Each structure stands twice: as C-alpha cells, then as structure tokens.
Amino acid sequence: MPEPVIKTIDVPCDQTTAFRIFTHNMDAWWPKDRHSISAKTGDTARSVSMEPRSGGAVTEIGHDGTHHHWGSVREYEPYSRLSLLWHINLPVEQATLVDIAFEPQGAGTRVTLRHHGWEAMGEAAQTMRDGYDGGWVGVFETAFAGACRAEAA
C-alpha cells in the first residue's frame, strides 16, 4: 500500500491562531481557483468551508452554486488536533484520512499534515497518493502557511 503523505511546516503564529485559521478561515486561504471541483472546469469555487466540530461537513460551493461534499470532521480537538474523512467527489467508502496536528514550536507552531488510508482507493491508490503529495504543497505548505504568516505580520 502507498505510504502516507506527510507535510510539516512551522508557522509564525501561536497554536490557537493556526488552528483557527485552518478550521474557521478555510475559505480565506484555500486556493479555490486551483484546488476545487470547480477548478477542473476552469472556474473558481465560490467558497470552501469546514464546520468546526466533530461530524461537521467540509464543503465546496461551486462557481454555479452547486454544493460538493468533500468530507467530514472525524475528530475535532480544538487547538491541537483535527482528523478528516476526505473523499472529494467520491463515495464515502473511498474516503482517505487527513490528520492535522498543531504543536507549539518556539514562538510559533509546528503543523503536521498526514494523509493516509490510500487502500480505500483500490487500484487508483498510488496515483491518488502521488497527486495529493504534490497538491498539498500548494494548498498546505504554500496557501495555509501564507495565511498564518499574514496573520502574524
């Protein structure tokens, strides 16, 4: 089975702020023009949001107003940990897991994203894993980290 995708970044804001940006401000930092269902047709999604609670939905509202269910919040531990069932445009049976940990690191926060559970993807597992390995660079390492840096400035 494919190895997990693991991305670790250090951001210059405290743990509470980093967690809040990730969960409550997703629409502000997610690159909707490149990483959304709408983007596949050359359009920009209207919004991307997460209901910040266990059982909450992760949703895209497409350029045309269509609601796309991306996944759900599996575990929600404010300021320290978040786990998502992730199945953008796929049935829930094909959900992978995205775990995000927020740990104090000096004056800032170390944020680690671990995307795993690729076996749910069947024969497409390695291809999907490789795609997300690159995709999380732009979404997590660049866009999310940039939002944290902007907040700290």
Side-chain angles (χ1 to χ4, degrees), residues 26 49-51 56-60 68-73 84 86:
M26 194 174 197
S49 64
M50 176 188 310
E51 294 174 323
V58 182
T59 307
E60 169 188 336
H68 301 283
H69 186 66
W70 285 13
S72 59
V73 179
L84 307 172
W86 198 252

Side-chain angles (χ1 to χ4, degrees), residues 37-127:
I37 294 168
S38 294
K40 293 177 190 222
T41 62
D43 296 302
T44 299
R46 288 186 190 172
S47 68
V48 172
S49 64
M50 176 188 310
E51 294 174 323
R53 60 177 175 79
S54 290
V58 182
T59 307
E60 169 188 336
I61 297 178
H63 72 283
D64 60 357
T66 303
H67 286 243
H68 301 283
H69 186 66
W70 285 13
S72 59
V73 179
R74 194 170 74 107
E75 295 175 31
Y76 186 83
E77 298 175 25
Y79 318 122
S80 63
R81 189 170 177 284
L82 181 67
S83 181
L84 307 172
L85 282 172
W86 198 252
H87 54 93
I88 296 176
N89 224 20
L90 295 169
V92 71
E93 297 79 33
Q94 290 184 292
T96 53
L97 298 172
V98 179
D99 298 325
I100 307 102
F102 301 79
E103 302 170 287
Q105 181 74 21
T109 304
R110 174 158 290 161
V111 187
T112 302
L113 180 146
R114 183 174 184 266
H115 194 163
H116 58 104
W118 301 107
E119 60 277 1
M121 306 304 292
E123 291 183 14
Q126 188 66 52
T127 301

